[in-house]
Amino acid sequence: MELTTLWFILIAFLFLGYFVLEGFDFGVGMLMPFLGRKSRMNADKRRRTTLNTIGPFWDGNEVWLITAGGALFAAFPDWYATLFSGFYLPLLLILIALIFRAVAIEFRGKIDDVQWRARCDIGIVVGSWIPAILWGMIFAAVVSGTQIDENKQIVSVWADFFSPYAVLGGITTALLFALHGAVFIALKTGGEVRADAVTTATRLAPIALVVAGTFAMWTQLAYGSNLTWIFTAIAAVGLAVTVVMTAKQREGKAFIATFITVAAATALLFGSLFPDVMPSSLNPEWSLTVEGAASSPYTLTVLTWAAAFLAPVVMIYQGWTYWVFRQRITVDHIPDSIGLKTTRRK
């Protein structure tokens, strides 16, 4: 296998890891206001329980995105330059949303004030919904082709970004991440929070099956190849199993199914790109290809040795983290706030 193809696969794997792991983080944040609204007496505890399910993981999961961006810059500089220059505004919005989300998660419990926590909850929710939608729209726009000229510059991106296919891509990723998060909450919690999460997942699963199934078939028929039929089939089976397992309240198997579904959907998008990395809708000859956008063979060789050494270490460490924090969380594990009533900041 040529190094350029190998690094295309590795970058696809990094984004796959990011969407699979950060996907349920987004889902947890997206669902926070819905899972904590039934009981007013312990609504804050329920939200804290929900948020604590991703407490040990969310910042580590974001490392996959940082690594993917760095690898993209080093291995395919032309791909990196064209993508980030053409989609600078939606990518900037994702960055701002991730910053707000991180700050809100870290500082939510620093002040014992109802209004403070409510504002932080808004930051978490908005900071989860925006990336969940925009990532799908960006990747759908890239797969369908953007207006790239002979100088490898994107002339106009908005017509492609707001096309029906791209909008459906954004809705699809939002639904998949929300479902992934609901199943994860059900897997990691007990009591009334788990019951809410199971109900939410049961309602979301059939909707996600229809919407994501439509997007997957559109992708396959319009941009896919014989190879990507495999990923389309795996994603379809994963969603079908999710519908069945959520109905049976088997959240462990349902989480494996959503995990596989998100991974297969990501593989479908990258598989539909290859051998291009950014197809041109103006002229196929102006498309950025794996070979044309790659770094020198020496650079790729050095990167390969570095990845061979560092990647297993990072994956083993992250796997160990998930094993250590595998226990379920309930409302009873959450201590009361310091103040019995709302405290006011002076």
Side-chain angles (χ1 to χ4, degrees):
M1 181 184 296
E2 295 183 358
L3 286 178
T4 52
T5 303
L6 173 63
W7 271 97
F8 178 85
I9 295 173
L10 289 176
I11 288 173
F13 176 75
L14 290 172
F15 275 104
L16 184 152
Y18 173 68
F19 289 140
V20 164
L21 298 177
E22 188 75 346
F24 65 73
D25 289 347
F26 289 146
V28 171
M30 295 161 70
L31 297 175
M32 270 188 63
F34 305 105
L35 299 182
R37 66 181 182 180
K38 280 189 176 181
S39 175
R40 295 192 178 187
M41 294 297 295
N42 61 352
D44 182 62
K45 274 193 173 185
R46 289 154 65 94
R47 293 185 181 185
R48 289 162 64 190
T49 302
T50 300
L51 189 59
N52 281 359
T53 60
I54 62 172
F57 314 123
W58 69 269
D59 49 353
N61 293 341
E62 287 188 345
V63 173
W64 286 80
L65 176 61
I66 298 171
T67 307
L72 188 65
F73 174 78
F76 297 97
D78 287 347
W79 184 6
Y80 179 93
T82 304
L83 176 66
F84 278 78
S85 62
F87 290 90
Y88 68 94
L89 185 54
L91 288 171
L92 178 62
L93 289 176
I94 289 176
L95 177 61
I96 293 174
L98 293 178
I99 292 173
F100 270 95
R101 172 172 164 268
V103 171
I105 292 175
E106 291 291 344
F107 286 89
R108 186 183 189 276
K110 301 301 182 183
I111 299 176
D112 187 30
D113 179 82
V114 174
Q115 292 183 352
W116 171 261
R117 289 193 291 269
R119 294 190 187 102
C120 288
D121 288 346
I122 293 174
I124 295 170
V125 173
V126 174
S128 299
W129 274 97
I130 289 177
I133 296 172
L134 291 184
W135 277 125
M137 295 182 70
I138 290 172
F139 271 88
V142 170
V143 169
S144 62
T146 51
Q147 298 183 35
I148 301 175
D149 62 17
E150 65 276 13
N151 298 316
K152 302 179 182 179
Q153 299 293 324
I154 295 182
V155 180
S156 175
V157 73
W158 300 112
D160 304 312
F161 189 69
F162 288 104
S163 68
Y165 176 73
V167 172
L168 181 60
I171 297 173
T172 298
T173 51
L175 280 173
L176 287 180
F177 292 162
L179 176 61
H180 200 30
V183 174
F184 181 75
I185 295 170
L187 180 65
K188 289 289 294 179
T189 60
E192 57 187 3
V193 177
R194 175 184 176 272
D196 274 1
V198 169
T199 300
T200 302
T202 303
R203 294 172 178 173
L204 281 175
I207 302 173
L209 177 62
V210 174
V211 175
T214 301
F215 177 74
M217 286 304 300
W218 190 344
T219 303
Q220 175 60 48
L221 295 176
Y223 312 107
S225 62
N226 292 333
L227 176 62
T228 55
W229 273 112
I230 299 174
F231 305 130
T232 304
I234 292 174
V237 172
L239 273 174
V241 171
T242 302
V243 172
V244 176
M245 290 299 107
T246 52
K248 292 183 177 181
Q249 298 188 16
R250 302 291 297 273
E251 58 267 21
K253 293 182 179 179
F255 182 72
I256 294 174
T258 57
F259 188 104
I260 292 173
T261 299
V262 175
T266 307
L268 170 62
L269 290 173
F270 276 91
S272 299
L273 273 178
F274 190 83
D276 294 332
V277 292
M278 290 200 71
S280 173
S281 59
L282 299 178
N283 188 336
E285 295 181 358
W286 296 342
S287 299
L288 273 70
T289 64
V290 170
E291 294 291 337
S295 295
S296 67
Y298 178 78
T299 301
L300 295 178
T301 301
V302 173
L303 290 173
T304 302
W305 281 106
F309 175 74
L310 295 175
V313 176
V314 173
M315 295 180 67
I316 290 172
Y317 170 76
Q318 194 162 26
W320 174 80
T321 303
Y322 279 93
W323 174 255
V324 170
F325 295 100
R326 66 187 182 278
Q327 294 83 4
R328 288 182 181 268
I329 305 170
T330 66
V331 174
D332 296 333
H333 293 131
I334 305 300
D336 293 326
S337 299
I338 297 175
L340 296 178
K341 298 181 179 181
T342 303
T343 58
R344 300 294 181 185
R345 299 190 303 278
K346 298 181 179 180

